[in-house]
């Protein structure tokens, strides 16, 4: 029997709303602050993780894990088929029903799958999990500041040894997050998946439970400190120069 990952890659089930057309200009705008939205009248497409990223995700999942993802689709099918418990934050109610039906059609029980059908920024306010998360995938709304907000709340549940996958690093609003993570001592970049010249997915291992708080101590702000001391030096120098000029003028 084929593995589920191969079936997914072969069948490419369409779970996401088609956008960029006259019905839906932007699916992210449609789902913004939405709650359990019935999208059954809309056309569907697959905006799934590309093959290499989906295969990489498959390779790090195992039966004892508790996992979470922002956004849903083929990755949700994979998570639910492999782990102990999976949380999926996705306000698209119709997509979530399709995901359950797909799992059922392949003979998978989905009692381990918990959908939180809210726009992620609203979902976190209600989210209270008593477990730590072993693997998290950020692949929901990619517009600023969602990647940072998603990371901030998910990070609270990640411990040393947890994995964090960030998809679509090619988008600047996502890249800003990875620029921070690349410098943060609590995270170690362990895998860059380049699926084509277009799509990048990064995987980080959390290696310390807590991230650095206090802007002066954060690596990402060290250039700020250097810039500020240069500015102070330049201001002092200019003042000295003005004082000297005034002295010469008075003579
Ligand atoms: C690129 S797709 C995810 C693809 C998925 N990882 C897969 O492999 O099929 C983006 C997802 O984000 C969801 N989404 C859009 N806006 C969201 C929001 N504000 N909060 C949570 N999810 C959102 C969409 O419904 C869609 O499922």
């Amino acid at each position: 029997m084929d593995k589920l990952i191969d079936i997914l890659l072969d069948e490419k089930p369409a779970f996401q709303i088609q956008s960029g057309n006259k019905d839906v200009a932007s699916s992210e705008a449609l789902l913004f602050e939405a709650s359990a939205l019935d999208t059954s009248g809309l056309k569907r497409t697959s905006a799934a993780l590309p093959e290499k990223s989906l295969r990489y995700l498959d390779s790090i999942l195992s039966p004892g894990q508790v996992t979470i993802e922002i956004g849903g689709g083929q990755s949700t099918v994979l998570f639910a088929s492999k782990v102990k418990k999976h949380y999926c934050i996705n306000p698209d109610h119709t997509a979530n029903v399709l995901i359950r039906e797909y799992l059922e059609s392949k003979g998978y029980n989905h009692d381990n799958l918990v959908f939180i059908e809210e726009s992620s920024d609203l979902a976190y306010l209600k989210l209270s999990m008593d477990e730590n998360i072993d693997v998290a995938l950020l692949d929901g709304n990619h517009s600023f500041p969602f990647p940072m907000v998603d990371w901030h709340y998910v990070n609270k549940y990640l411990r040393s040894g947890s994995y964090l996958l960030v998809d679509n690093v090619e988008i600047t609003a996502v890249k800003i997050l990875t620029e921070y993570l690349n410098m943060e001592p609590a995270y170690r970049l362990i895998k860059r998946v380049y699926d084509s010249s277009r799509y990048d997915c990064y995987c980080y291992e959390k290696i310390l439970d807590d991230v650095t708080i206090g802007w002066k101590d954060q690596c990402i702000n060290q250039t700020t400190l250097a810039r500020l001391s240069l500015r102070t030096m330049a201001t002092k120098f200019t003042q000295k120069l003005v004082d000297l000029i005034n002295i010469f003028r008075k003579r």
Side-chain angles (χ1 to χ4, degrees):
M1 199 178 105
D2 276 348
K3 284 169 70 184
L4 188 57
I5 171 86
D6 296 314
I7 299 173
L8 278 171
L9 290 167
D10 180 45
E11 294 185 354
K12 299 182 177 41
F15 294 120
Q16 286 88 26
I17 300 163
Q18 230 179 69
S19 61
N21 54 42
K22 66 173 174 34
D23 297 327
V24 184
S26 157
S27 57
E28 292 189 343
L30 179 78
L31 294 167
F32 178 60
E33 297 192 344
S35 181
L37 196 69
D38 179 346
T39 59
S40 50
L42 301 172
K43 292 198 191 94
R44 305 256 138 210
T45 186
S46 169
L49 289 179
E51 175 167 356
K52 275 194 206 161
S53 306
L54 214 52
R55 286 200 186 280
Y56 180 69
L57 175 65
D58 189 53
S59 74
I60 61 170
L61 296 180
S62 59
Q65 292 167 334
V66 178
T67 54
I68 193 168
E69 75 177 313
I70 320 306
Q74 294 182 21
S75 47
T76 318
V77 171
L78 208 52
F79 272 115
S81 71
K82 296 198 78 168
V83 306
K84 183 169 80 177
K85 189 166 190 183
H86 182 58
Y87 294 92
C88 174
I89 300 181
N90 186 7
D92 183 348
H93 171 73
T94 307
N96 300 337
V97 171
L98 291 172
I99 290 166
R100 284 201 192 277
E101 285 172 1
Y102 189 83
L103 278 159
E104 253 166 52
S105 74
K106 302 297 172 205
Y108 286 89
N109 179 309
H110 46 80
D111 291 347
N112 62 340
L113 175 56
V114 180
F115 281 114
I116 301 154
E117 297 193 316
E118 302 267 358
S119 180
S120 59
D121 53 333
L122 303 179
Y124 300 121
L125 305 175
K126 298 179 188 163
L127 194 67
S128 69
M129 298 184 294
D130 45 17
E131 308 110 313
N132 290 329
I133 294 291
D134 299 301
V135 182
L137 166 65
L138 306 188
D139 193 16
N141 186 329
H142 299 92
S143 37
F144 189 90
F146 272 85
M148 271 61 74
V149 172
D150 289 340
W151 169 76
H152 175 68
Y153 285 99
V154 165
N155 175 60
K156 295 175 191 290
Y157 297 97
L158 302 178
R159 291 289 169 268
S160 172
S162 303
Y163 294 114
L164 170 74
L165 286 101
V166 183
D167 193 36
N168 296 110
V169 178
E170 73 283 357
I171 300 171
T172 306
V174 181
K175 196 167 190 58
I176 298 169
L177 170 65
T178 61
E179 279 168 2
Y180 157 74
L181 291 172
N182 291 347
M183 287 190 234
E184 167 50 53
Y187 282 88
R188 187 161 62 98
L189 179 62
I190 56 167
K191 182 83 180 170
R192 286 190 179 97
V193 188
Y194 295 108
D195 259 281
S196 64
S197 53
R198 273 193 77 177
Y199 302 108
D200 304 336
C201 181
Y202 287 5
C203 183
Y204 296 86
E205 182 187 357
K206 202 162 183 201
I207 52 176
L208 300 172
D209 286 348
D210 298 314
V211 295
T212 315
I213 295 294
W215 73 268
K216 284 186 184 168
D217 297 322
Q218 289 183 327
C219 294
I220 197 165
N221 293 321
Q222 294 314 302
T223 51
T224 318
L225 286 172
R227 189 161 32 84
L228 288 179
S229 32
L230 270 177
R231 209 163 81 179
T232 313
M233 273 161 59
T235 313
K236 279 187 185 156
F237 178 75
T238 314
Q239 190 55 52
K240 281 254 184 289
L241 212 60
V242 170
D243 292 349
L244 270 175
I245 292 167
N246 285 338
I247 290 170
F248 278 114
R249 271 199 188 141
K250 280 179 193 159
R251 279 185 177 177

